[in-house]
């Protein structure tokens, strides 16, 4: 029997299929903001009510409620079963579907990996929240404004802020259900005997996202005099510097068709270019560009421009990029090299001369061939016969590394012209040459360890933050566009009783009740029977309404649930879930549900310890009594 299709393959498939082009085969799509819109391929649509998000790789119809990803599209539109859909998409991408038996060990490894994504994601949300709310946000916002970044750009790149205290993130993540081990593995925590502390403190944080947009690591810049100036997450199971390109996800989502990608040296350059409406730059994270990086770029665009500083280090980095590019010169991708005037980087150039200045520089980028010959001829006097012969000997080993094809033929022509001989002799020379050895890419140095926070490690910063969150000082909150000061994103923050169903802005953890609803929406089978709540607000009522609908009407799919609640407040929240996180994995939902339930159990246990009998349905009345007691105590305190 054929084994299981590895989840990693399905992930990769969803990663590489361009949903807009898949759906574009059936209906015409037009760009509208970040999304594409068109007439729904699933129902008789008069006005375009169907929208596709290339960023999230999902679609949603506001008319009939159809929604999903490339796989659901293939299933529902093309009438395939799951395996058939995977095979169809794989064929489209020209890849074979691998099969494997998943051992318990592999399954454990997969789960551990997912936990890493989750913990980094939680840290990401927390950092972004801090930039809008933390006590040290003013310095960070001043710094970003000083670099010319708008709030919108900061938001797009998910720029955040780590608190001053060495314990704030750790404490937040602990409360969200992660342990030190997971934080350390994700490169967020420094572990020392007797004292574990946050890796990033008082730094502006830049999430490093993989192609699919999942945050896998951070780069962080100091706001004080600490060393080092820039600090990256250490490498982890989900973050390999030699593979991830900073800005690639943002570039893909900002451009419907990407014609060109610019490889720059610094992450800040990527952001600066995007700020100046050139959202097509990528950078490595503290490592030289690798063959792996280049392969990703070549698959995506017909033109790659390497942009380096004009100094010696820049030239060296350029040469390394050239060495890696040679074996990929198959005529599909053009490589250009741009060396900026001495002392300039893209950021400073843009600040000084704006987009026009940068475009002028771009137009002067040289072809790989020119860079290669210029670099190798630099010490040769081409008027002299022996120098010309030497050139042949020097260049041949490099040409040897090129694949057969037109680019190589043209290079042979060029070398023959420069040496002043015929092509046959040059071809012979190249054929017999040893391929030039390329300097192995230096293994990225381990990230320096940030200095430990001043003794003693306390959670002062955290408390300060908690208090700050409640203060009225909202100065600067308008920096991060269209975000309101938001509640502290603790994993289990109690939801304030609300009159209306309203989700917090993207980036802020959902309150527990919304998470219940989210689980039910994606996985209706979780519904068993209505729940008892200490406090019955809009959310609690909605949860029970949904549970009852699922049970009473035997609803077994998200689409059916969506249909049932269409044009209601709950339906509006469902549409929002689809828009925000439709790819949420089933096992993750089940785990989330379990966490929520465990939390309810723990709460009951806590109540019991306090002498309040709480079990089963008594939970509700016990909680109600506790809350009533607390409220009474608070009322008494007030003058
Ligand atoms: Zn529709």
């Amino acid at each position: 029997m054929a084994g299981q299709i590895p989840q990693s393959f399905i992930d990769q498939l969803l990663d590489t299929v361009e949903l807009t082009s898949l759906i574009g085969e059936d209906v015409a799509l037009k760009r509208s903001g970040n999304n594409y819109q068109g007439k729904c391929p699933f129902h008789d649509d008069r006005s375009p009510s169907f929208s596709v998000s290339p960023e999230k790789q999902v679609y949603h119809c506001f008319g009939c409620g159809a929604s999903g990803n490339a796989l659901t599209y293939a299933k529902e539109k093309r009438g395939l079963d799951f395996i058939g859909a995977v095979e169809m998409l794989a064929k489209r991408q020209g890849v074979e579907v691998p099969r494997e038996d998943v051992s318990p060990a592999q399954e454990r490894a997969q789960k551990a990996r997912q936990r890493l994504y989750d913990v980094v994601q939680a840290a990401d949300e927390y950092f972004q929240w801090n930039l809008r709310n933390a006590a040290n946000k003013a310095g960070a916002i001043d710094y970003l404004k000083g670099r010319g970044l708008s709030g919108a750009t900061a938001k797009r790149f998910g720029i955040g802020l780590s608190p001053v205290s060495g314990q704030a993130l750790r404490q937040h993540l602990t409360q969200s259900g992660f342990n030190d081990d997971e934080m350390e593995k994700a490169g967020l925590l420094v572990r020392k005997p007797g004292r574990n502390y946050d890796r990033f403190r008082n730094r502006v944080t830049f999430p490093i996202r993989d192609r699919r947009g999942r945050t896998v690591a951070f780069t962080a810049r100091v706001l004080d005099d600490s060393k080092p100036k820039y600090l990256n997450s250490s490498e982890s199971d989900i973050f390999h510097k030699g593979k991830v390109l900073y800005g690639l996800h943002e570039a893909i989502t900002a451009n419907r068709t990407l014609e060109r990608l610019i490889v720059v040296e610094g992450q800040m350059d990527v952001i600066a270019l995007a700020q100046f409406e050139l959202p097509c730059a990528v950078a490595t994270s503290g490592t030289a560009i690798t063959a792996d990086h280049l392969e990703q770029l070549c698959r995506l665009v017909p033109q790659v421009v390497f942009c380096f500083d004009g100094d010696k280090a820049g030239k060296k980095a350029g040469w390394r990029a050239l060495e890696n590019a040679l074996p990929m010169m198959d005529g599909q991708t053009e490589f250009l090299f741009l060396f900026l005037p001495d002392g300039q980087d893209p950021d400073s150039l843009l600040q000084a001369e704006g987009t026009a200045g940068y475009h002028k520089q771009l137009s002067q980028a040289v072809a790989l061939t020119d860079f290669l010959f210029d670099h190798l001829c630099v010490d040769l006097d081409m008027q002299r016969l022996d120098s010309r012969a030497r050139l042949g000997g020097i260049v041949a080993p490099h040409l040897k590394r090129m694949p057969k094809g037109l680019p190589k033929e043209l290079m042979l022509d060029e070398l023959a012209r420069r040496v002043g001989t015929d092509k046959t002799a040059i071809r012979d020379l190249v054929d017999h040459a040893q391929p030039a050895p390329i300097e192995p890419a230096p293994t990225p140095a381990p990230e320096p360890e940030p200095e430990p926070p001043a003794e003693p490690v306390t959670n002062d910063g955290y408390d300060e933050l908690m208090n700050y969150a409640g203060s009225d000082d909202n100065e600067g909150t308008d920096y991060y566009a269209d975000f309101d000061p938001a509640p502290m994103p603790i994993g289990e923050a109690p939801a304030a009783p609300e009159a209306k169903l309203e989700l917090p802005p993207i980036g802020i953890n959902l309150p527990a009740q919304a998470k219940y609803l989210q689980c039910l929406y994606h996985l209706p089978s979780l519904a068993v029977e209505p729940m008892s709540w200490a406090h019955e607000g809009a959310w609690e009522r909605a949860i029970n309404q949904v549970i009852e609908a699922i049970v009473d009407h035997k609803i077994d799919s998200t689409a059916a649930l969506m249909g049932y609640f269409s044009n209601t407040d709950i339906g509006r929240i469902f549409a929002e879930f689809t828009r925000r996180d439709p790819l949420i994995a089933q096992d993750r939902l089940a785990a989330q549900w379990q966490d929520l339930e465990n939390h309810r159990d723990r709460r009951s246990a806590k109540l019991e310890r306090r002498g309040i009998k709480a079990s089963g349905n008594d939970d509700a009345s016990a909680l109600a009594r506790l809350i009533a007691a607390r409220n009474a105590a608070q009322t008494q305190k007030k003058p």
Side-chain angles (χ1 to χ4, degrees):
M1 202 184 107
Q4 211 176 328
I5 302 175
Q7 186 58 40
S8 58
F9 176 78
I10 295 169
D11 285 353
Q12 206 185 346
L13 200 58
L14 288 171
D15 193 9
T16 45
V17 169
E18 293 300 338
L19 187 59
T20 44
S21 76
L22 176 69
I23 297 177
E25 288 169 11
D26 301 321
V27 286
L29 294 172
K30 255 176 72 183
R31 180 162 203 135
S32 158
N34 285 334
N35 296 331
Y36 288 82
Q37 286 187 337
K39 290 189 179 171
C40 177
F42 294 103
H43 82 279
D44 183 16
D45 201 5
R46 302 274 165 88
S47 62
S49 35
F50 186 77
S51 101
V52 183
S53 158
E55 183 179 3
K56 310 217 151 172
Q57 291 274 65
V58 296
Y59 60 88
H60 177 70
C61 173
F62 288 89
C64 67
S67 67
N69 57 25
L71 278 172
T72 44
Y73 188 83
K75 270 158 69 182
E76 281 162 26
K77 183 68 190 168
R78 314 273 160 97
L80 300 165
D81 63 6
F82 179 76
I83 306 282
V86 171
E87 278 168 350
M88 188 276 268
L89 293 180
K91 200 171 160 203
R92 223 171 159 270
Q93 299 301 110
V95 289
E96 287 268 329
V97 180
R99 301 293 182 130
E100 71 176 17
D101 294 317
V102 180
S103 68
Q106 281 169 316
E107 208 177 311
R108 273 197 303 278
Q110 261 172 29
K111 280 201 178 127
R113 209 174 138 82
Q114 185 56 49
R115 287 288 288 175
L116 288 191
Y117 282 115
D118 292 346
V119 70
V120 174
Q121 173 66 24
D124 190 7
E125 287 168 8
Y126 179 67
F127 289 150
Q128 292 188 44
W129 181 88
N130 273 292
L131 184 61
R132 302 189 299 279
N133 298 278
N136 57 334
K137 72 173 180 184
I141 291 174
D142 282 350
Y143 165 74
L144 293 168
K145 281 184 175 168
R147 302 290 302 245
L149 297 190
S150 70
T153 302
K155 186 175 152 192
R156 194 159 122 223
F157 283 88
I159 297 174
L161 171 65
S162 57
V164 181
S165 134
Q167 294 295 311
L169 177 68
R170 181 174 173 228
Q171 197 163 347
H172 169 70
L173 293 176
T174 304
Q175 293 195 23
S176 301
F178 298 99
N179 59 41
D180 282 7
D181 217 29
E182 290 166 326
M183 294 177 216
E184 188 195 17
K185 281 189 181 136
L188 298 167
L189 188 76
V190 178
R191 255 181 144 166
K192 285 280 149 82
R195 57 188 307 223
N196 300 345
Y197 54 91
D198 294 349
R199 181 175 185 80
F200 302 112
R201 297 188 313 277
N202 199 21
R203 286 170 181 268
V204 174
T205 57
F206 303 88
I208 300 172
R209 296 161 174 159
D210 64 10
R211 210 201 126 163
R212 261 168 75 181
R214 293 175 299 191
T215 300
V216 293
F218 299 93
T219 285
R221 190 200 186 276
V222 280
L223 285 169
D224 52 25
D225 300 328
S226 319
K227 295 272 178 310
K229 195 163 157 196
Y230 281 94
L231 186 66
N232 286 316
S233 305
S234 36
E235 290 221 316
S236 72
D237 281 352
I238 57 171
F239 174 47
H240 303 285
K241 290 179 186 172
K243 293 203 165 122
V244 178
L245 279 164
Y246 182 79
L248 187 57
H249 170 72
E250 289 81 0
I252 293 168
T253 51
N255 301 274
R256 176 163 197 179
T257 47
L258 263 176
E259 292 299 325
R260 154 207 290 171
L261 280 163
I262 305 173
V263 183
V264 291
E265 288 186 88
Q267 287 143 331
M268 207 56 209
D269 297 325
V270 173
I271 302 174
L273 280 161
Q275 174 71 48
F276 279 87
E277 291 176 7
L278 284 163
C280 57
V282 297
T284 60
S285 301
T287 177
I289 192 142
T290 63
D292 222 314
H293 289 137
L294 279 184
E295 257 170 51
Q296 293 182 51
L297 298 176
C298 291
R299 276 204 300 268
L300 278 168
V301 285
Q303 189 186 70
V304 175
V305 184
F306 298 102
C307 175
F308 295 103
D309 302 353
D311 57 9
K312 216 171 145 196
K315 285 272 161 62
K316 198 171 169 203
W319 183 253
R320 172 175 291 286
L322 177 143
E323 286 183 318
N324 276 312
L326 281 175
M328 288 172 208
M329 291 193 60
D330 54 3
Q332 302 293 312
T333 309
E334 180 187 18
F335 298 99
L336 296 175
F337 291 79
L338 169 61
F339 294 99
L340 295 177
D342 221 0
Q344 295 274 42
D345 58 35
D347 190 15
S348 64
L349 184 76
L350 285 162
Q351 306 290 349
E353 297 176 35
T355 316
Y358 196 77
H359 274 295
K360 196 175 146 216
Q361 289 291 338
L362 264 183
S363 68
Q364 288 162 16
V366 299
L368 182 144
T369 321
D370 294 330
F371 176 44
L372 182 134
F373 282 108
D374 289 351
H375 185 85
L376 296 177
C377 288
V378 77
D379 294 325
L380 297 176
D381 174 2
M382 295 307 285
Q383 302 303 316
R384 290 171 43 174
L385 215 65
D386 55 342
S387 289
R388 297 217 299 268
R390 263 185 70 205
L391 179 70
I394 294 170
V395 176
H398 295 287
L399 301 198
K400 176 86 174 181
R401 297 184 52 245
M402 292 178 69
K404 272 193 188 134
L406 197 55
K408 185 171 186 170
E409 292 304 314
L410 294 174
M411 287 283 250
L412 293 173
D413 287 339
E414 179 62 18
L415 183 56
R417 189 186 69 74
R418 292 194 183 226
V419 173
T421 180
D422 66 22
K423 196 173 171 185
T424 323
I426 291 297
R427 189 189 303 281
D428 199 46
L429 188 66
V430 171
D431 283 349
H432 289 91
Q434 287 294 320
I438 60 165
E439 236 179 282
T443 5
E447 282 298 326
E449 222 161 65
E451 297 160 18
E455 299 268 16
V457 176
T458 67
N459 69 349
D460 284 354
Y462 191 73
D463 291 341
E464 173 197 346
L465 236 158
M466 293 292 276
N467 295 334
Y468 190 83
S471 87
D472 291 324
D473 180 8
N474 287 335
E475 192 205 337
T477 41
D478 59 341
Y479 173 67
Y480 229 43
D482 58 76
F483 268 95
D484 298 322
M488 186 71 175
I490 300 286
E492 306 171 327
E498 276 171 296
K500 202 174 151 222
L501 297 181
E502 206 69 66
L503 289 179
I506 292 172
I508 300 300
N509 270 8
L510 297 177
Q513 278 83 341
K515 282 187 179 171
Y516 269 111
L517 211 54
Q518 185 188 32
C519 290
L520 288 167
Y521 170 62
H522 288 286
L523 209 58
S525 61
L526 287 168
V528 179
E529 56 181 21
M531 299 175 168
S532 54
W533 299 98
H535 162 83
E536 279 242 346
W539 282 108
E540 289 79 4
R541 278 194 297 276
I543 293 168
N544 281 345
Q545 232 179 309
V546 171
I547 291 177
E548 278 165 16
I550 294 171
V551 175
D552 292 354
H553 301 279
K554 300 196 169 54
I555 292 175
D556 62 356
S557 76
T558 297
L561 195 60
M562 188 106 194
Y564 184 87
F565 284 101
S566 62
N567 297 324
T568 67
D569 248 20
I570 294 176
R572 181 173 53 76
I573 296 292
F574 284 169
E576 188 62 16
F577 286 146
T578 311
R579 201 171 70 76
R580 290 189 183 190
D581 199 7
L583 283 181
I584 193 161
Q586 295 216 343
D587 53 352
R588 205 174 131 199
L589 284 163
Q592 175 170 310
W593 183 269
Q594 197 53 53
D595 284 349
L596 290 165
E597 287 296 84
N598 288 346
H599 177 60
R600 277 159 66 90
D601 288 348
R602 276 204 305 277
R603 211 161 44 176
S604 308
K606 212 186 251 176
L607 290 171
E608 223 156 345
R609 276 203 305 278
R610 291 183 193 175
I612 302 171
K613 192 172 168 292
S615 64
N617 280 346
D618 288 346
D619 187 16
S621 56
L623 256 176
R625 268 156 51 203
L626 186 71
I627 286 168
R630 197 190 61 192
N631 288 348
Q634 278 175 353
T635 317
Q636 272 176 3
K637 262 197 246 167
K638 283 183 188 153

